[in-house]
Amino acid sequence: MKATHQVVITADISRPVEEISEIISLFIGMHPAEKQQEILQAVDQSVGEALAGLVSDTASDK
């Protein structure tokens, strides 16, 4: 059996940037320093891909 840690989050969707930043900070703080850079780089990659998809969709709409 593997122990699993869970976090229940309530976020105010009217403040998306602030809430997402706070959630990322929460998760980063739950991991050792040597893992934090790896996590942030993976999040950066995911955000970059999402942004590229939006830019691509916007360009194809024109």
Side-chain angles (χ1 to χ4, degrees):
M1 177 194 292
K2 182 178 179 181
T4 303
H5 300 281
Q6 294 184 355
V7 176
V8 177
I9 298 171
T10 302
D12 180 355
I13 61 171
S14 70
R15 301 176 52 239
V17 174
E18 296 86 351
E19 296 288 353
I20 290 168
S21 295
E22 288 179 24
I23 292 166
I24 290 171
S25 294
L26 172 70
F27 274 76
I28 292 302
M30 297 174 146
H31 292 277
E34 60 270 6
K35 184 96 169 128
Q36 292 177 0
Q37 182 176 356
E38 177 185 335
I39 293 168
L40 288 172
Q41 287 172 333
V43 169
D44 181 51
Q45 179 71 31
S46 294
V47 170
E49 290 170 2
L51 183 57
L54 289 173
V55 170
S56 175
D57 288 347
T58 302
S60 67
D61 287 345
K62 291 182 179 181

